[in-house]
């Protein structure tokens, strides 16, 4: 069970929250306990011809929130001829699909103000940052001609820096992995060879297995692990006379086990994290930007903060303050609410107690990212790391090397990606202090250039971002399939609900998109049936 | 020892030839048996000022062969003011760094003629195709402003198709890996728990290890492996009501062991193959093209086939036939010979018996690649595979999905990458038969579109390419550090030698480049010392 390890590793707790939930629900599905699965590709987008066949016109829809769920809702409804209006309180669409570039500003709920000083062409994806091949998000990239490139999620030459490691020195990911796989293979080969698994394995199994383990662990005589070229070299093989010097500092099996390094290798095998991953070229917000253009910018009203939502027999009325601060109202045939549930529940509304109970079950989780712009790409030239993640058990948790602009002049590292209580603590620091603290911890891994080459930084504490107030949500122990959420997933009235949190892939655009498509499908069926 | 598995897996034999040699020489280095290693970064490029300080001018150098070793030699010498002439028999530079685009032609030694019909923007890298982060090749990409992008070397969603697999059906790479790691973890956890490894492990070790294995294998109660979400889903998690259906067809431990699938997972941990890998944007030949421009196209003479090389006390004379077929000769102060050793040895020359013995020790190895251009990227839309390698134990060995132009209209798969005797057999087929045979085998994995969507193909049998006649070389059991090669690595006269085969990284541009830098360094030292 991944859940066991989650309690051991703060970073896995948050990242794995998704994987853990997926595991549980998938198992329910396999056991027949969950509703019958419907292939995602079965989505039938609403079509204008659906109405034409009836001799009627599509209705109007107001959409609360211009994040991915709201934009996909508006885009799919717009294609069918619905008159859509998106109300977005912030000055841009995309929600947590946030790409920060030079000039971008953030004043958070504590009043901390930042203005990004990143050089032109440099950016950080402060929220959503990666796409798996199977995710529906890629289909919208294709449809809207948003080019993609590889996001490197695991890098053999990035570092692992765990305090229990021998000598406390960072080691390369490939080195730690070779040692872990090497000793695992040695131990299993010895146990097999000595007959300890004769109850489990046939003689044929044993012969093939020990052969495989010798290869998988790069074992020597008598199944001993004595290091491997897979650990890397202190001098890499080159011209004649330079055969290469393999790293010789092979730790003992007890040191490898005690270091805790092994727990980090499951991440790259996760159903949602396995390589290759992808990102839009130029920033993750290229997709919400393309969606906004496709919807029509005039239908997307920025700076509009909704304060009330009233459902009646004939329509839905939304009250909001516009970008100039004037109070306005808008009535439409239907509404799709894609706001964060903890903010939606605070509106003046008449959605009823069941809806309130469902919205209240979704509780925000904190996370934060720090972008560090450097004057040189010293991690490429000095450390020969091109993209990928360095892991540490200090509170910065992860350092991401940029997966774009390789060989370029400058670059933006992600200096931390942290969760829960750690993220809350950093969110309470002034931005400069976040930078100083994180840079001090990173310097232990990378040396002085981590400090001396720094040009500027920008940090996003998601719990403190106005109109967002969280990184993602947990459902208070409920499955998304729980009856608690039926009033949101299968609503009875004119108000529909969508968001990544209302899906089986919370925190992923994939979940937001499929949630939106479900809402759109329900709304469209209702509109066609209405008289 | 990787060598054991090499004999079991044809594909690993050839790919691993490098890894195996590296292992051996690295071990020699670690044991102090090999010459002291010199860091590759210590290269001091020759400088014009070296001569100015002496009040002299740089000399002239004729370079035989316009592959990477020849181009790097010319580039580095040219920067220092040497008058360089590169003689290249083919109609382009780059040698085995060959990118095939629409309109490119090949008439091989058997007389088979092909003309590539690839659509504009589509290409195949028929030879060199990937770069590791630590390789010096990337430094030249930086210096010459050749942009790079990720080459996906392992893909969780690509297929493995081995004949011993249960039901003979292809499985996803992630599925096979989850089962292999799952059972490996189960067996080791059980053996550990039952005390079979008490001689190797302390009580603390055992507790941490079984915890790690539970995570690494995604094990359930009593350390049983019962499948995992890491295997992937038949229906991926989506909106509420679609929790996802995990793949349920978990094979038995004996089936997994007997399938032989485990041997394939070491590849992605190899010191030269671990992810991420890279490629120049637009084709691998962007680097030799940039080098050729930097050298000056007028100094690179195409279509010039060398027939004789004569060393005298005062210089080196090269006889060659030029692009018009006229016999010419050229005398320079020095020569660098970068031709394939089995062709170089056939020239009329006076290099002596020791040089002949050394050149004769390098024997060419066969390999071949097939490019298949498709009218649609059905592997992306239907199989959701974006880049990476499908492995099979049939003679096509590997299928590569393109790591560029994702989401595009068309794409070029590599339909086989095969070695040795298999490559020789395909080389003997007419190109159309290679295509038909390979497509028939690929269709078993991917279904009908593998045949019906095919637009055109182009195949390169390296043993049959004029003036190349091989994919790479083995050294007849010698280490590159063997005294056999001293006459080439530390030559006494005016002729120097370079090539990937004369390095500890045969078949890699990294080896060719460092070999060339060594030759340039020796030559420059000789030139400065000469009177």
């Amino acid at each position: 069970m991944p859940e066991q390890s989650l309690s051991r590793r703060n970073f896995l707790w948050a990242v794995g929250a998704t994987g853990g939930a997926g595991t549980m629900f998938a198992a329910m599905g396999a056991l027949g306990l969950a509703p019958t699965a419907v292939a995602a590709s079965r989505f039938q987008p609403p079509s204008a011809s659906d109405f034409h066949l009836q001799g009627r016109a599509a209705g109007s829809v107001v959409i609360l929130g211009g994040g991915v769920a709201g934009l996909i809702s508006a885009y799919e409804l717009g294609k069918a001829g619905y008159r859509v209006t998106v109300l977005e309180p912030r000055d841009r669409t995309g929600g947590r699909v946030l790409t920060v570039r030079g000039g971008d500003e953030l004043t958070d709920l504590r009043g901390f103000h930042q203005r990004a000083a990143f050089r032109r062409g440099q950016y950080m994806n402060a929220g959503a940052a990666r796409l798996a091949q199977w995710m529906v998000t890629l289909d919208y990239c294709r449809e809207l001609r948003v080019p993609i490139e590889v996001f490197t999620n695991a890098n053999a030459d990035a570092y692992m820096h765990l305090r229990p490691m021998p000598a406390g020195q960072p080691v390369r990911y490939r080195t730690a992995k070779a040692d872990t796989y090497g000793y695992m293979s040695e131990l299993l080969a010895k146990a097999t060879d000595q007959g300890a698994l004769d109850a489990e394995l046939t003689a044929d199994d044993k012969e093939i297995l020990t052969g495989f383990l010798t290869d998988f662990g790069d074992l020597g005589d008598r199944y001993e692990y004595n290091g491997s070229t897979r650990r890397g070299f202190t001098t890499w093989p080159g011209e004649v006379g330079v055969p290469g010097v393999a790293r010789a500092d092979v730790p003992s099996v007890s040191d490898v086990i005690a270091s805790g390094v092994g727990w980090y290798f499951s991440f790259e095998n996760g159903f949602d994290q396995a390589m290759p991953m992808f990102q839009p070229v130029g920033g993750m917000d290229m997709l919400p930007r393309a969606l906004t253009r496709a919807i029509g910018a005039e239908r997307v009203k920025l700076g509009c903060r909704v304060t009330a939502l009233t459902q009646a027999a004939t329509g839905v009325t939304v009250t909001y303050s516009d970008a100039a601060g004037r109070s306005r109202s808008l009535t439409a045939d239907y509404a799709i609410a894609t706001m964060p549930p903890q903010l939606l529940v605070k509106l003046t509304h008449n959605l009823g107690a069941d809806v309130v109970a469902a919205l209240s079950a979704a509780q925000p989780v904190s996370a934060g990212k720090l972008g560090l712009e450097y004057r040189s790409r010293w991690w490429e030239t000095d450390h020969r790391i091109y993209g990928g993640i360095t892991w540490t058990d200090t509170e910065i948790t992860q350092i991401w090397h940029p997966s774009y602009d390789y060989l370029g002049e400058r670059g933006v590292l992600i200096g931390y990606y942290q969760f829960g209580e750690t993220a809350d603590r950093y969110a309470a620091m002034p931005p400069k202090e976040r930078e100083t603290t994180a840079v001090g911890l990173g310097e232990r891994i990378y040396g002085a250039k981590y400090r001396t080459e720094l040009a500027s930084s920008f940090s996003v504490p998601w719990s403190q971002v106005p109109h967002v107030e969280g990184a993602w949500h947990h459902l208070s122990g409920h499955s998304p399939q729980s009856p608690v959420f039926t009033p949101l997933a299968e609503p009875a009235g004119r108000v529909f609900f969508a968001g990544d949190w209302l899906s089986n892939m919370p925190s992923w655009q994939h979940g937001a998109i499929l949630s939106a498509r479900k809402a759109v499908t329900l709304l469209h069926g209702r509109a066609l049936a209405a008289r």
Side-chain angles (χ1 to χ4, degrees), chain A:
Chain A
M1 297 288 173
E3 284 72 11
Q4 289 188 305
S5 67
L6 301 190
S7 61
R8 309 183 72 122
R9 294 281 172 263
N10 171 45
F11 80 90
L12 278 179
W13 166 74
V15 175
T18 305
T23 306
M24 182 172 72
F25 304 133
M28 288 171 61
L31 295 168
L33 300 176
T36 307
V38 177
S41 59
R42 295 234 200 109
F43 174 63
Q44 292 286 344
S47 160
S49 66
D50 298 340
F51 292 105
H52 296 161
L53 291 172
Q54 297 193 354
R56 300 169 52 221
S60 60
V61 183
V62 58
I63 295 167
L64 283 58
V68 170
L71 294 174
I72 292 288
S73 299
Y75 174 66
E76 292 294 354
L77 290 170
K79 287 196 287 189
Y82 285 89
R83 299 183 304 285
V84 298
T85 305
V86 178
L87 300 176
E88 165 57 44
R90 307 193 69 216
D91 61 357
R92 65 171 86 187
T93 56
R96 286 162 289 153
V97 180
L98 175 65
T99 301
V100 176
R101 300 182 183 80
D104 287 343
E105 302 189 52
L106 173 66
T107 303
D108 72 20
L109 295 176
R110 282 192 171 85
F112 292 133
H113 177 79
Q114 297 176 79
R115 185 171 192 281
F118 299 158
R119 187 76 63 85
R120 188 179 170 82
Q122 300 298 318
Y123 65 84
M124 70 180 284
N125 286 327
R130 43 195 168 194
L131 310 172
Q133 295 164 95
W134 53 268
M135 291 179 173
V136 70
T137 323
L138 285 188
D139 298 341
Y140 286 92
C141 290
R142 179 184 293 105
E143 184 166 326
L144 294 164
R145 299 183 180 280
V146 173
I148 60 168
E149 64 194 356
V150 170
F151 172 88
T152 294
N153 214 19
N155 187 329
D157 287 319
Y159 291 106
M160 311 198 71
H161 190 214
L162 311 182
R163 278 163 292 189
M165 279 180 167
Q169 290 301 305
V171 301
R172 301 279 187 166
Y173 190 86
R174 69 163 85 232
T175 309
K177 194 191 230 183
D179 291 341
T180 301
Y181 290 13
Y183 282 123
M184 192 164 51
S185 298
E186 174 185 319
L187 293 170
L188 181 52
K190 286 178 172 175
T192 304
D193 186 55
Q194 291 159 14
L197 292 159
D198 285 2
E200 312 271 343
L201 301 171
T202 68
D204 277 356
D205 289 345
K206 287 169 63 177
E207 184 184 342
I208 304 175
L209 178 62
T210 50
F212 154 67
L213 292 168
T214 300
D215 175 73
F216 188 74
D218 204 3
L219 305 182
D221 289 343
R222 297 183 309 280
Y223 307 121
E224 295 282 344
Y225 174 69
N226 301 307
S228 165
T229 58
R230 296 174 197 159
R231 307 179 82 237
F233 291 76
T234 48
T235 301
W236 292 88
E239 64 274 25
V240 175
V242 185
V245 179
R247 294 185 180 279
D249 50 344
V250 184
S252 71
V253 63
S254 291
D255 281 348
V256 171
I257 290 172
S259 74
V261 79
W263 268 271
Y264 289 79
F265 299 122
S266 293
F267 175 77
E268 63 172 272
N269 297 325
F271 78 93
D272 50 352
Q273 298 286 1
M275 298 251 281
M277 303 285 283
F278 292 87
Q279 64 186 10
V281 174
M284 189 57 86
D285 68 354
M286 290 299 171
L287 181 56
R289 284 179 179 210
L291 282 165
T292 304
R293 282 194 302 273
I295 294 161
E298 72 284 3
R299 296 188 183 88
V300 180
K301 301 195 182 301
L302 300 175
C304 292
R305 189 169 59 83
V306 173
T307 52
L309 174 68
T310 309
Q311 184 168 223
T314 54
V316 182
T317 300
V318 170
T319 307
Y320 64 97
S321 66
D322 72 8
R326 284 175 299 234
S327 183
R328 295 187 173 274
S329 78
L330 186 159
T331 298
D333 296 326
Y334 302 98
I336 302 183
T338 74
M339 296 168 55
Q342 77 277 19
L343 302 184
L344 179 57
V345 76
K346 291 184 196 162
L347 299 187
T348 302
H349 65 77
N350 64 345
L351 296 169
D354 288 351
V355 167
V356 169
L359 293 173
S360 302
Q363 292 296 321
V365 172
S366 298
K369 273 188 192 163
L370 166 70
L372 298 171
E373 189 195 23
Y374 285 94
R375 281 182 287 269
S376 66
R377 294 174 81 94
W378 48 264
W379 53 91
E380 294 181 354
T381 52
D382 300 3
H383 298 261
R384 304 197 77 93
I385 299 172
Y386 292 76
I389 300 174
T390 280
W391 295 97
T392 157
D393 60 0
T394 66
E395 58 197 3
I396 58 176
T397 316
Q398 307 177 19
I399 292 172
W400 293 14
H401 307 90
S403 289
Y404 68 94
D405 200 23
Y406 303 112
L407 309 174
E409 191 195 342
R410 295 189 159 224
V412 177
L413 289 187
I414 301 298
Y416 60 65
Y417 180 24
Q418 55 192 193
F419 316 103
E421 179 272 331
T422 310
D424 288 337
R425 201 147 32 80
Y426 272 64
M429 299 178 186
K432 187 68 186 174
E433 186 183 340
R434 295 173 201 157
E435 174 197 300
T436 308
T437 309
V439 166
L441 292 168
E443 192 178 356
R444 293 190 203 165
I445 304 173
Y446 290 95
K449 283 190 181 176
Y450 204 84
R451 184 172 34 81
T452 58
E453 288 295 294
L454 185 64
S456 68
S457 75
F458 194 93
S459 50
V460 178
W462 280 104
S463 63
Q464 302 300 314
V465 174
H467 311 296
V468 180
E469 300 192 17
W472 53 81
H473 300 79
H474 66 80
L475 300 185
S476 307
H478 297 292
S479 150
Q481 282 68 242
S482 160
V484 171
F485 298 109
T486 305
L488 306 180
E490 313 272 351
R494 293 178 171 272
V495 180
F496 299 82
F497 303 88
D500 64 285
W501 59 278
L502 194 60
S503 83
N504 291 283
M505 287 298 290
S507 86
W508 291 93
Q509 294 176 78
H510 176 83
I513 292 169
L514 293 181
S515 168
R517 297 201 331 187
K518 174 167 181 150
V520 162
T521 302
L522 287 171
L523 186 157
H524 186 55
R526 202 76 56 82
L528 287 175
R531 34 198 54 258

